[in-house]
Amino acid sequence: MAVSFALTEDQVELQRWLHGFAADVIRPAAAEYDEREAFPWEVLQEAAKTGIYSLDFFATQWFDESGLGIPLTMEELFWGDAGIGLAIVGTTLAAASVRANGTDEQVGRWIPAMFGTEAEPKVAAFCSSEPDAGSDVGAMRTRAVYDEATDEWVLTGTKTWATNGGIADVHVVTAVVDPELRARGHASFVVPPGTKGLTQGQKFLKHGIRASHTAEVVLDGCRVPGDCLLGGRERLEERLARAREGVRSGRTQPSMATFERTRPGVGAQAVGVARAAYEYALDYAGQRVQFGRPIVENQAIAFALADMKTSIDAARLLVWRAAWMARTGQPFTSAEGSMSKLVAGETAVRVTEQAMQILGGNGYTRDYPVERMARDARIYTIFEGTSEIQRLVIARAISGVQIR
């Protein structure tokens, strides 16, 4: 069977459309929102009017037969700016959780509510991490207790590092339903708008991606209807029964199911940031004259740019492979999703740092965008699984050994 890396006409048109929005709307607003550390509601509204921020748009990309719709979208938006890009796509993490764990009825009910309308866009939040249980999902303490008298689940605990946490209309929360089973005793719940007992805790002031809202979410006896349990009660009881018997159900723990679906997309975000920094540095090197000639004519600068471009293209290919595998149902036998996120994240950090070096003192100032890009890039070795966790996942997959 022939192999082709050529994009279809529709995919090329998608790139052009998103690139135009990123260049004309996102980039002019990037420095302001980074400085203010404010959520870019105005940009989100423009994205909704344009059709970029909508369920229809993201659903179309989710179901792209090649699997490249989401990576192409992520790369272009994050080429514009990582903080604003994350504000636009942050809702998709919660939506991915509902897709991965919910029933058809729940998918049809809650995912449209997460996006709102063109006139009044909404955002959603996925709440998994906790203050004392980052990558260790087995140490999660947020509890969900079923109240049979009212057919409600009562959620109590604190979530942290939640994108859109507290400002979201819909929150998706992972909680412990059987503490004895640790990570296998978790379930995910939708917390509808206006639910009492859910409040925003601390808003985090971050090193990068400052236009994206990140905060704690406090759940204080928060009651949600029984049908807000993703997947339903019957499926949960069957899964817990298998776990108690020591039989693996074949289903991934809810938080991990979400991350597995989103890691290639996160890798594409990192590729977009790296590409933006490389392109700026390449243009700068062609115009910056030192000792009577453009600095790009110096071998040290030219070789650095060559390495940057090569690394970006290699990372993109890993992302595309993982996205294609996920879309076509190919198993990640060697943790290809984690590979894509690991390489793309570390590429973004390295490339943005090299771009700063090429710009010299200018690169260290806020007058030039690579300083912001370097701050933004750093998150890609940390969130949705640190680089160390990605290596752990890959090592376990290739060795078959429970490495700790």
Side-chain angles (χ1 to χ4, degrees):
M1 184 176 70
V3 175
S4 174
F5 293 101
L7 299 179
T8 66
E9 290 184 9
D10 287 344
Q11 289 170 333
V12 171
E13 184 58 33
L14 173 69
Q15 275 186 320
R16 289 174 180 165
W17 177 41
L18 293 169
H19 188 82
F21 183 84
D24 298 339
V25 180
I26 294 178
R27 282 201 165 181
E32 175 190 350
Y33 283 104
D34 176 74
E35 188 69 26
R36 288 169 50 198
E37 299 196 47
F39 187 88
W41 285 109
E42 295 85 353
V43 179
L44 189 74
Q45 288 167 351
E46 286 299 314
K49 291 177 184 177
T50 307
I52 292 172
Y53 186 75
S54 70
L55 173 58
D56 288 343
F57 172 74
F58 283 106
T60 299
Q61 306 320 315
W62 276 331
F63 294 108
D64 179 281
E65 291 185 1
S66 68
L68 299 185
I70 289 296
L72 291 174
T73 297
M74 296 294 187
E75 181 174 336
E76 293 305 324
L77 292 179
F78 284 71
W79 172 89
D81 178 68
I84 294 178
L86 193 55
I88 293 173
V89 307
T91 292
T92 61
L93 187 58
S97 179
V98 175
R99 281 186 63 221
N101 302 297
T103 64
D104 290 342
E105 182 180 354
Q106 289 169 328
V107 168
R109 177 184 178 187
W110 290 114
I111 294 184
M114 294 178 176
F115 289 90
T117 64
E118 177 182 324
E120 191 177 0
K122 307 289 186 181
V123 296
F126 178 66
C127 307
S128 177
S129 294
E130 297 187 1
D132 296 320
S135 298
D136 183 7
V137 294
M140 190 178 293
R141 294 182 180 178
T142 297
R143 289 293 311 275
V145 178
Y146 184 62
D147 185 344
E148 293 188 8
T150 60
D151 185 28
E152 292 177 317
W153 288 89
V154 183
L155 278 60
T156 302
T158 299
K159 295 295 182 178
T160 194
W161 310 120
T163 299
N164 299 334
I167 67 170
D169 225 45
V170 177
H171 291 75
V172 177
V173 176
T174 303
V176 178
V177 293
D178 189 333
E180 293 183 1
L181 295 176
R182 289 179 59 77
R184 297 175 70 190
H186 293 179
S188 291
F189 301 84
V190 171
V191 181
T195 300
K196 293 181 179 179
L198 184 148
T199 57
Q200 178 184 312
Q202 175 187 4
K203 176 187 174 181
F204 295 104
L205 303 179
K206 305 188 298 295
H207 178 64
I209 54 169
R210 293 179 177 178
S212 173
H213 177 91
T214 310
E216 289 181 332
V217 174
V218 180
L219 303 146
D220 184 9
C222 186
R223 288 180 170 268
V224 300
D227 60 7
C228 285
L229 166 65
L230 290 180
R233 185 83 184 277
E234 183 177 344
R235 185 189 295 178
L236 173 65
E237 292 299 338
E238 289 176 357
R239 180 165 60 82
L240 294 178
R242 292 193 194 98
R244 293 184 189 108
E245 295 170 1
V247 179
R248 291 196 174 273
S249 65
R251 286 181 58 83
T252 307
Q253 188 273 338
S255 291
M256 294 301 102
T258 300
F259 292 140
E260 285 178 3
R261 285 177 176 268
T262 58
R263 273 177 181 151
V266 174
Q269 296 173 14
V271 171
V273 175
R275 189 184 114 213
Y278 156 75
E279 290 177 358
Y280 196 93
L282 177 63
D283 184 63
Y284 181 92
Q287 297 182 25
R288 175 69 167 172
V289 175
Q290 289 284 282
F291 304 104
R293 62 181 182 179
I295 62 172
V296 73
E297 295 181 17
N298 295 320
Q299 191 178 87
I301 301 295
F303 279 14
L305 289 164
D307 286 343
M308 292 158 74
K309 173 62 172 172
T310 301
S311 297
I312 291 166
D313 284 8
R316 183 185 296 110
L317 288 173
L318 280 174
V319 166
W320 283 15
R321 180 185 69 168
W324 170 79
M325 291 177 70
R327 181 66 187 92
T328 56
Q330 308 294 321
F332 286 169
T333 56
S334 297
E336 287 84 355
S338 290
M339 286 184 184
S340 70
K341 198 265 184 183
L342 170 65
V343 172
E346 298 202 341
T347 294
V349 171
R350 185 170 61 253
V351 167
T352 54
E353 288 180 349
Q354 287 175 316
M356 287 182 67
Q357 194 70 22
I358 289 171
L359 268 68
N362 288 332
Y364 199 66
T365 72
R366 293 190 184 180
D367 293 331
Y368 291 79
V370 294
E371 180 271 340
R372 184 180 67 252
M373 294 169 185
R375 285 189 285 106
D376 291 341
R378 195 65 182 84
I379 193 62
Y380 290 99
T381 61
I382 298 172
F383 77 168
E384 292 206 44
T386 63
S387 288
E388 291 74 20
I389 288 295
Q390 306 306 328
R391 289 185 170 91
L392 183 65
V393 172
I394 296 164
R396 287 174 174 174
I398 63 177
S399 70
V401 176
Q402 191 67 12
I403 299 169
R404 300 183 183 278

